[in-house]
Amino acid sequence: MPDVLVVGGGIGGLAAAVGLARIGGRVRVLEQATALGGVGAGLSLWPNALRALDELGVGDAVRAAGVSAVSRGGLRRPSGRWLRHRHPDDIAVLMVHRADLHRTLLDALPAGRVRTDATVTGVQETADGVTVTYRTRDGVRRTEAELVVAADGVHSAVRRQLWPGKTTPRFDGRSAWRAVTDGVLDPAEEAITMEREQQFGLLPLPDGRVYWFLTADAEQPGVRHDDALAEVRRRVGHWHDPIPRVLAATAPGAVLHHDITTLDPLETYVRGRVVLLGDAAHAQSPDLGQGACQAIEDAVVLASALAAERDIAAALERYERERLPRTQAMALAAQRQAELSHRHFRAMTTAACLLPPALWRRQIMRWVDWTPPALR
Ligand code: FAD
């Protein structure tokens, strides 16, 4: 097994490290943050990702940290009128706090594999591996690896260096606010409340907390408000119950605000002994709730390819063959979903009322009906 260095200790990077450790690989992770942990809000994990987490050996622990819900089931209008109630045949997702998923992956790694305060600034291929340069509080360091997995997110420094040119993330014209409530709320049926320019989603988390998100059209990226919660309240605080109560139960400091950025499809995820994984390879709009799920799938396929193939080049070729078409089709479908909700809002809401549950289910099954390769 090669000596692997993973750049980035997010969901994709840690999942890759767990997969590589599981097949007996020597793996280290470099993470720029000075501490690991509590960041993020809720994540929906679809059955495809849960199967992949099972292969990583952490499926049961993740399920224990989450709660079953139906994402993309209930749809409402700001007045509260239901366009579609969730249906018993809808596909269940597991709702988890990202921090709990992150901790579960970290716990599955042998101790000492993640180095924090390590910002990778460059990679250089050598005759028999890759030299990685990283910055720490104490100065610049170098380390060698036989294979580098770049899981450093949508703004990947590794991708910027080795895939120069057209791989700058693209602002998709929307901003997203996300948070988890402090307090316990009455159970509310999960739903996405829609108008053409904004969507507010509400999903349960364990312990009665609620994860919410707002996506809204934005003319330009980078606009921030002194009080992000007040801005959300200004936009949707007058929408139907329980939205005002959910916002009232949210601490102002808990709100995350990001612009939605996506990547145009890359021609390859591999450059020599460097391979892209997760958002670094295929950052997509959140409209199918599949970004992290795809990163977890990537992790299992990469580990399986390295276990099955005799040399690194063949394993990376296999990884790319399996992952590039699926992840790019998913990204395209997410983008189409965003366009549909926006440009064809009226048609979309009519379809939501009329589409039989079996067809609704079939549309989603196209993306979540995926089985990972066995790691053991
Ligand atoms: P990241 O989470 O970005 O992790 C990258 C890591 O690399 C970070 O820890 C970062 O600090 C580190 N890093 C960056 N640069 C360096 C460097 N130079 N050196 C060292 N470390 C570095 N996905 C789902 O599956 N379900 C959902 O419900 C869902 N909802 C979403 C809702 C919204 C509004 C948005 C915006 C996204 C959503 N996603 C969802 C997508 C999901 O959040 C991402 O796809 C996923 O987190 C990507 O994981 P990653 O590990 O590839 O990247």
Side-chain angles (χ1 to χ4, degrees):
M1 284 299 151
D3 175 20
V4 186
L5 192 132
V6 178
V7 183
I11 299 301
L14 289 192
V18 172
L20 293 164
R22 203 164 163 80
I23 59 161
R26 290 160 289 148
V27 59
R28 292 164 291 153
V29 180
L30 295 182
E31 165 57 46
Q32 68 183 2
T34 47
L36 290 171
V39 290
L43 272 181
S44 52
L45 295 175
W46 293 87
N48 51 316
L50 290 172
R51 284 182 216 113
L53 289 165
D54 284 333
E55 278 310 318
L56 296 178
V58 296
D60 287 345
V62 174
R63 283 185 191 87
V67 64
S68 179
V70 174
S71 179
R72 327 203 73 75
L75 297 179
R76 302 180 84 168
R77 296 285 284 136
S79 64
R81 182 167 67 86
W82 285 92
L83 296 168
R84 183 184 191 278
H85 277 285
R86 70 178 171 206
H87 186 274
D89 289 345
D90 284 347
I91 295 162
V93 296
L94 187 84
M95 285 308 303
V96 288
H97 198 298
R98 180 187 178 279
D100 291 332
L101 173 62
H102 194 264
R103 190 177 329 106
T104 306
L105 290 167
L106 196 58
D107 288 348
L109 271 179
R113 298 297 178 96
V114 183
R115 158 138 209 185
T116 52
D117 178 32
T119 302
V120 170
T121 54
V123 290
Q124 181 74 52
E125 200 158 349
T126 60
D128 50 2
V130 186
T131 303
V132 176
T133 308
Y134 62 100
R135 205 179 52 236
T136 75
R137 208 179 292 132
D138 304 322
V140 172
R141 302 268 165 87
R142 284 192 178 75
T143 187
E144 310 290 326
E146 288 170 277
L147 169 65
V148 168
V149 179
D152 49 347
V154 61
H155 299 289
S156 168
V158 176
R159 189 190 65 240
R160 230 177 16 243
Q161 183 195 336
L162 295 185
W163 279 255
K166 293 185 293 178
T167 70
T168 311
R170 181 200 289 271
F171 171 54
D172 104 330
R174 288 177 299 165
S175 237
W177 291 259
R178 286 177 282 176
V180 172
T181 57
D182 265 350
V184 173
L185 291 172
D186 298 339
E189 183 175 336
E190 52 267 31
I192 296 179
T193 303
M194 323 181 62
E195 59 177 20
R196 191 186 295 271
E197 296 82 14
Q198 326 195 78
Q199 299 191 356
F200 188 92
L202 200 64
L203 286 146
L205 283 177
D207 313 330
R209 290 176 302 159
V210 170
Y211 159 61
W212 62 259
F213 64 84
L214 170 68
T215 57
D217 289 1
E219 279 177 14
Q220 57 190 46
V223 176
R224 294 293 178 268
H225 310 89
D226 291 341
D227 183 342
L229 182 59
E231 173 61 14
V232 174
R233 225 183 248 128
R234 183 187 72 75
R235 288 169 172 272
V236 297
H238 54 289
W239 286 13
H240 64 79
D241 181 73
I243 293 174
R245 281 191 295 128
V246 164
L247 298 181
T250 304
V255 181
L256 304 171
H257 181 188
H258 293 108
D259 298 315
I260 296 178
T261 41
T262 60
L263 271 187
D264 285 344
L266 299 179
E267 283 166 16
T268 173
Y269 293 168
V270 179
R271 284 266 194 271
R273 285 169 175 246
V274 178
V275 58
L276 300 175
L277 181 146
D279 274 12
H282 45 70
Q284 52 193 265
S285 82
D287 297 83
L288 296 181
Q290 277 279 351
C293 297
Q294 291 305 299
I296 296 165
E297 285 189 9
D298 287 348
V300 177
V301 173
L302 180 63
S304 151
L306 284 162
E309 298 290 345
R310 263 183 305 160
D311 68 67
I312 293 178
L316 297 186
E317 203 182 306
R318 182 173 176 151
Y319 167 80
E320 173 161 296
R321 206 169 47 240
E322 290 187 26
R323 296 309 298 158
L324 192 137
R326 174 162 167 82
T327 50
Q328 295 192 355
M330 190 77 79
L332 186 62
Q335 189 186 323
R336 289 227 171 101
Q337 179 66 38
E339 286 166 5
L340 194 67
S341 311
H342 197 273
R343 285 207 206 124
H344 308 288
F345 182 71
R346 198 174 290 267
M348 207 279 294
T349 50
T350 308
C353 298
L354 300 178
L355 208 62
L359 266 182
W360 188 271
R361 182 185 170 85
R362 200 179 309 156
Q363 280 191 344
I364 295 179
M365 279 305 280
R366 287 172 54 210
W367 306 114
V368 306
D369 191 12
W370 179 87
T371 305
L375 282 191
R376 292 206 161 174

